[in-house]
Amino acid sequence: MTPAQSAALAALRARASDASLHAIDLQAAVLEMARALDPPPPPPTYTLTADPATVDEGAAVTFRLTTERVPSGTELPYVLSGVGLADISGPLAGVLIVGSDGTAEIVVHVLADLLTEGTEAVRCAVGADVELASATATIRDTSQTPPPPPPPPPPPPPAGRIEVRGPNVLGKARGEPNNFDNGTTDWIDCSALPGPVPWSLYLGPDQELAPSRAGVESLATWQRWHLYGHYNGLYQPLPRLIDGKLPVNYPDAGAFPNSAVFALRDGLRFLRDGPRGESIATPYTTWHGHTRVDAEGKHTAPQIPMWIGITLDGRIQYAMRDGSITTAGTVPLPRTSWANDFTFYEPARKVFFYTDTGSGRIMRVDRATTPWTVTQWADGFRQCDSVRAVGDKLYVADSIAGEVWEIDGRTGEKRKVCSLPHAFWVSYFSDGTIAVMTRTRAVHRIDPATGSVGPNLTAGITAGIQQWVTVDVDRAGVMGERDCFIALSVQGAANVDFYRYDQTGKLRLPEHGKGNQGCGPVRYVGDTFGHYPWVGAHHPDEAALLVQGMANAQPQVIVVTPPGRSWVGIDNPDRYAGWLASGRRIALYGDDVSSPLSTRFTTFLPQMNSNGGGIVSADHVALWEPEQIVAFIRAGMLGQQPRPFTKAHVKGWGMRTLMDSERYLREGWPLVQRYMTYCDGLPA
């Protein structure tokens, strides 16, 4: 090989070496580019869960970490928050070590700490500088502070005694008005209750309550008598022992007829027959005086009722001359209706008619058969509010239609008398013209033959629409001037809306009969004519007027005492006002305090209401000697709570109670004065 050839070969070799180096560099660049273009491997993942998600105190929750692409043996710090060392059994921080399967877990034991804390939460966070995962578990507060042990049960009442508390007839909250329950309990002894005090105020030889005044005005001698027992106070239950208990029996059964009837029909109020002081009436009764006179003269048999009434649910009740009340029968009514009124029928005394008020029907009852025969006599009214027989004709008021109708009592034939908006109640004058009272308290005299409507006779009291009104004419003048009439409504002035007018529209009874002076010589009787007056019914033969309020269970009787009868009332009411006020507080609350919550004792109302009615009544007390009265009240009546009453306290309570007795109505103020004199001699 020539030198030239050798040089050329060496040059080629050099060039080849450079190309190889270049290829290597190129291959490296390609590999580097390929590496740059490929996606990077995924990062590690961390997921933390709580099992269970909700845990009770005393149980455990497991926080479980699941990872991917985390090398086995990796240590990861964790922190627990939301709880303290008093809530769990371990530390609040630590380290999780990832196992070969990529998981790790920590078990947290939640302590049952017996504290009431409410719902809590424990949170676990994994990671050091950066939080990698977290989870939270809810802790239910299931181990609370134990409640105090229940108080021991009250001791059983002693043998023969009944547990009583202050009444709360309206279901009021503690401390609200008319809730007399102050939380104290008493046990009263009902094992030997005295029987009812019989009525003994007949004045005439033929069992008259009071001779008719025969048209002579005599307001100054009107008195209220408790012929059927003492009337019930507003918001106070009527104390009656029923099946060995003293239930809360309150007369206001549901405000007005279409609702009150259900309380009566469904047994939500106690009604029962019985002698004076034991029977329970309902104020939702329309009463009418029942005559003892017929063609043969005046009958004296005590079996003849004094008044007859119909309850909203159709019971026919007799109010007898001895103060007893009996149910004579029941007339049918649809479930959706009620009976406002009934009427005697003079042409056939065994027959009467009543209103199926809600159904708009007049029903005829024949008492000559057993059982009574009841037939529909007339229908088609929108509402039959009242019915009254005048001779052989019936007159019906329909307040919804605003009409007055005539029905023939022999045939049932109907004839419209007149239109009169809101016509509600019917009575009649001695000349046969009818008196109709509207729900606006207007009274009009109507000629039934012509239908002419006279002027409003009660213009001074006319008001907005009332739920219940009645009018009753004293045709025979038994209480005073002939053809005077009473007009009343359940709503009005001081809720004692009772008026007496003569037939020309002149007001006879001052101040609507509301005040303490509104009933002749009897003072401090209060609500003389009933609270929310519901009925006023003149007796046709005697000077007696039965009255009853919607809030007073027992009807009361207003009588005219005969001229010359010796009776001395309280001489100066203001002089005794302090004692009487103290007596009323004690009667209401069982202590001389201003409210039931401030007394130390159970109120007396479960035993005796504040008007003298009760299982032991003012009539019983009035038969005792003064020392017995003082001992009775200081012993807590029939209960087990002695009362440390001063002589002023027993004096006030005794005065008030004696003035509610029927003996006071016979003897007057001397009865009270004897008791006061005895109390004045007591030590303080």
Side-chain angles (χ1 to χ4, degrees):
M1 182 180 295
T2 64
Q5 292 175 322
S6 297
L9 183 57
L12 289 171
R13 288 175 174 166
R15 292 176 60 187
S17 175
D18 290 342
S20 176
L21 292 173
H22 180 72
I24 291 171
D25 291 342
L26 185 60
Q27 185 179 11
V30 171
L31 292 173
E32 181 66 25
M33 183 177 293
R35 282 194 295 270
L37 293 174
D38 288 339
T45 61
Y46 307 86
T47 303
L48 190 64
T49 59
D51 182 24
T54 300
V55 63
D56 292 340
E57 290 182 327
V61 58
T62 299
F63 290 102
R64 184 169 292 108
L65 179 68
T66 303
T67 69
E68 293 181 356
R69 292 172 296 280
V70 176
S72 175
T74 300
E75 295 183 352
L76 297 171
Y78 71 85
V79 174
L80 300 175
S81 60
V83 293
L85 292 175
D87 298 311
I88 62 174
S89 62
L92 296 176
V95 174
L96 291 169
I97 300 177
V98 179
S100 59
D101 61 351
T103 66
E105 65 181 32
I106 175 177
V107 178
V108 178
H109 293 277
V110 181
L111 299 178
D113 53 11
L114 298 179
L115 297 175
T116 301
E117 306 157 304
T119 301
E120 297 177 289
V122 54
R123 184 176 187 272
C124 180
V126 177
D129 298 329
V130 176
E131 184 179 288
L132 302 175
S134 67
T136 300
T138 299
I139 302 173
R140 284 193 293 252
D141 190 13
T142 55
S143 66
Q144 301 179 354
T145 304
R161 290 185 177 268
I162 296 175
E163 180 179 333
V164 294
R165 295 173 67 96
N168 182 15
V169 297
L170 301 181
K172 296 287 189 178
R174 182 93 183 270
E176 288 191 275
N178 304 310
N179 176 1
F180 298 97
D181 188 353
N182 67 350
T184 63
T185 300
D186 198 3
W187 290 269
I188 63 174
D189 184 1
C190 295
S191 59
L193 292 178
V197 177
W199 187 251
S200 57
L201 285 184
Y202 295 119
L203 299 178
D206 58 353
Q207 300 189 46
E208 287 180 326
L209 286 183
S212 169
R213 295 295 292 155
V216 178
E217 193 69 2
S218 186
L219 276 175
T221 60
W222 283 22
Q223 282 189 343
R224 182 173 72 183
W225 286 359
H226 311 298
L227 176 55
Y228 299 103
H230 302 263
Y231 84 105
N232 200 64
L234 188 63
Y235 309 124
Q236 300 174 36
L238 183 69
R240 290 289 189 273
L241 191 64
I242 300 174
D243 297 329
K245 298 180 179 179
L246 275 177
V248 173
N249 190 49
Y250 183 59
D252 191 347
F256 298 109
N258 55 345
S259 58
V261 64
F262 291 105
L264 300 176
R265 182 179 287 137
D266 297 340
L268 301 181
R269 290 294 181 271
F270 294 98
L271 298 179
R272 71 178 186 183
D273 297 348
R276 177 179 185 267
E278 291 188 2
S279 62
I280 301 176
T282 171
Y284 298 97
T285 306
T286 295
W287 298 97
H288 294 297
H290 183 256
T291 184
R292 293 195 287 161
V293 178
D294 62 14
E296 298 177 1
K298 179 180 285 190
H299 296 268
T300 60
Q303 293 79 14
I304 299 175
M306 191 76 183
W307 284 272
I308 296 179
I310 187 170
T311 66
L312 289 178
D313 60 341
R315 289 174 244 204
I316 304 299
Q317 297 204 297
Y318 290 173
M320 307 303 291
R321 309 187 74 80
D322 62 358
S324 63
I325 295 178
T326 61
T327 300
T330 302
V331 295
L333 288 164
R335 171 81 181 166
T336 55
S337 187
W338 63 96
N340 273 1
D341 194 14
F342 81 100
T343 185
F344 303 118
Y345 187 61
E346 191 65 26
R349 288 198 169 186
K350 287 289 186 180
V351 171
F352 69 89
F353 296 86
Y354 71 93
T355 62
D356 179 353
T357 301
S359 303
R361 302 188 300 171
I362 296 296
M363 309 297 290
R364 180 183 187 273
V365 181
D366 186 351
R367 297 185 297 112
T369 63
T370 303
W372 298 347
T373 301
V374 181
T375 54
Q376 177 177 300
W377 203 245
D379 67 351
F381 303 101
R382 295 185 65 185
Q383 183 165 291
C384 289
D385 294 295
S386 176
V387 59
R388 198 70 55 239
V390 183
D392 60 4
K393 298 295 191 291
L394 313 178
Y395 295 95
V396 176
D398 181 341
S399 66
I400 294 180
E403 296 170 344
V404 180
W405 286 78
E406 180 185 88
I407 303 171
D408 193 306
R410 298 162 299 178
T411 66
E413 181 181 353
K414 292 170 56 180
R415 178 181 70 87
K416 182 179 174 180
V417 175
C418 65
S419 294
L420 181 63
H422 312 297
F424 189 83
W425 209 259
V426 180
S427 185
Y428 66 98
F429 294 96
S430 59
D431 64 357
T433 56
I434 57 177
V436 178
M437 190 170 186
T438 73
R439 289 179 58 192
T440 62
R441 296 194 299 199
V443 175
H444 297 271
R445 192 168 192 159
I446 298 173
D447 184 338
T450 64
S452 64
V453 179
N456 178 13
L457 298 176
T458 58
I461 65 169
T462 305
I465 300 297
Q466 308 293 300
Q467 293 291 339
W468 181 270
V469 298
T470 63
V471 58
D472 194 66
V473 179
D474 183 4
R475 291 176 292 278
V478 294
M479 298 292 291
E481 183 180 341
R482 295 182 189 276
D483 284 326
C484 278
F485 62 88
I486 58 170
L488 58 88
S489 67
V490 295
Q491 297 168 312
N495 298 322
V496 187
D497 217 32
F498 193 103
Y499 305 83
R500 182 171 180 266
Y501 289 86
D502 70 12
Q503 59 181 315
T504 69
K506 181 179 179 181
L507 182 63
R508 291 292 194 182
L509 188 66
E511 297 187 17
H512 320 93
K514 295 189 300 294
N516 293 328
Q517 310 299 320
C519 194
V522 177
R523 306 297 189 233
Y524 284 88
V525 292
D527 292 349
T528 305
F529 299 99
H531 201 97
Y532 305 118
W534 188 264
V535 68
H538 294 93
H539 194 273
D541 312 323
E542 300 175 33
L545 169 68
L546 184 143
V547 296
Q548 189 167 14
M550 193 172 70
N552 309 125
Q554 298 304 112
Q556 299 290 292
V557 179
I558 309 299
V559 300
V560 179
T561 58
R565 179 170 179 244
S566 175
W567 196 92
V568 180
I570 186 172
D571 54 0
N572 182 351
D574 293 338
R575 177 181 171 188
Y576 305 106
W579 281 310
L580 292 170
S582 172
R584 181 180 185 276
R585 290 191 296 268
I586 292 172
L588 277 175
Y589 306 133
D591 203 353
D592 191 3
V593 293
S594 59
S595 79
L597 291 184
S598 57
T599 183
R600 303 156 286 178
F601 310 108
T602 305
T603 175
F604 286 138
L605 292 180
Q607 306 180 54
M608 178 189 291
N609 67 35
S610 63
N611 302 294
I615 54 177
V616 174
S617 70
D619 289 343
H620 294 104
V621 172
L623 298 178
W624 300 342
E625 296 299 322
E627 58 267 24
Q628 291 177 273
I629 300 174
V630 172
F632 180 65
I633 185 65
R634 283 180 168 171
M637 295 193 183
L638 302 175
Q640 293 189 313
Q641 296 176 355
R643 320 279 165 130
F645 289 149
T646 67
K647 73 175 184 180
H649 291 144
V650 298
K651 183 176 181 179
W653 180 84
M655 289 172 63
R656 181 178 177 85
T657 302
L658 289 173
M659 291 175 69
D660 279 321
S661 71
E662 61 103 9
R663 185 178 177 187
Y664 174 68
L665 296 175
R666 291 197 309 268
E667 300 180 14
W669 189 247
L671 171 70
V672 181
Q673 186 62 63
R674 286 194 297 271
Y675 176 76
M676 294 171 60
T677 301
Y678 172 82
C679 290
D680 289 339
L682 293 172

